[in-house]
Amino acid sequence: MRRALAVARTTPAGDVPVGAVIYGPDGRELATGVNRREQRQDPTAHAEVEAIRAATAGAAAKSNDGWRLTDCELVVTLEPCAMCAGALVGARVGSIVFGAWEPRTGACGSLLEVPRAPGALHVPQVRGGVLEDECAELLRGFFGDLRSIVTSL
């Protein structure tokens, strides 16, 4: 999670600082991703999706099964939303580890439970709350700064 926090700190200005890291079955880092929705004007450019795209491209894909990330682990600083949780299930990620819980949009236990939906073709292991305070603090800082900008206008 410390690596995912470091990755989150590289998020482009204006995007919510979320970092994701995908590790291969041997523990080797395969890919990273940060939120780039604002930068790319792309609603699908969440950290998890960016990491999946990077992991399934090039050399990482050759060491896995193309688009399947079976036995890989995704570590992300914020609980995945429904879109990201669905993408992780679709990519067959073996386990999901996240930091801060997201009670408004979280889809790995807070609001929804996408990885354990009835009829799911793949069910990854999920563990949340890892370094939760540090992950939440990064988000609180971002939204606190954003609120100060808005109120000063």
Side-chain angles (χ1 to χ4, degrees), residues 41-126:
Q41 297 295 291
D42 177 357
T44 69
H46 288 202
E48 300 93 328
V49 173
E50 293 291 299
I52 290 169
R53 288 175 178 154
T56 57
K62 291 176 187 163
S63 68
N64 292 304
D65 183 15
W67 57 268
R68 290 176 191 85
L69 298 173
T70 308
D71 298 325
C72 293
E73 179 169 79
L74 175 113
V75 179
V76 62
T77 56
L78 181 65
E79 180 181 4
C81 68
M83 176 186 71
C84 293
L88 293 165
V89 169
R92 309 298 195 268
V93 168
S95 64
I96 302 166
V97 177
F98 66 87
W101 294 88
E102 175 45 277
R104 292 173 293 151
T105 61
C108 289
S110 286
L111 180 66
L112 301 171
E113 189 64 75
V114 170
R116 290 178 184 75
L121 297 175
H122 173 76
V123 180
Q125 294 179 357
V126 177

Side-chain angles (χ1 to χ4, degrees), residues 4-31:
L5 279 162
V7 169
R9 290 183 182 99
T10 70
T11 301
D15 274 297
V16 179
V18 176
V21 182
I22 296 178
Y23 294 97
D26 59 358
R28 180 175 51 95
E29 183 178 302
L30 297 180

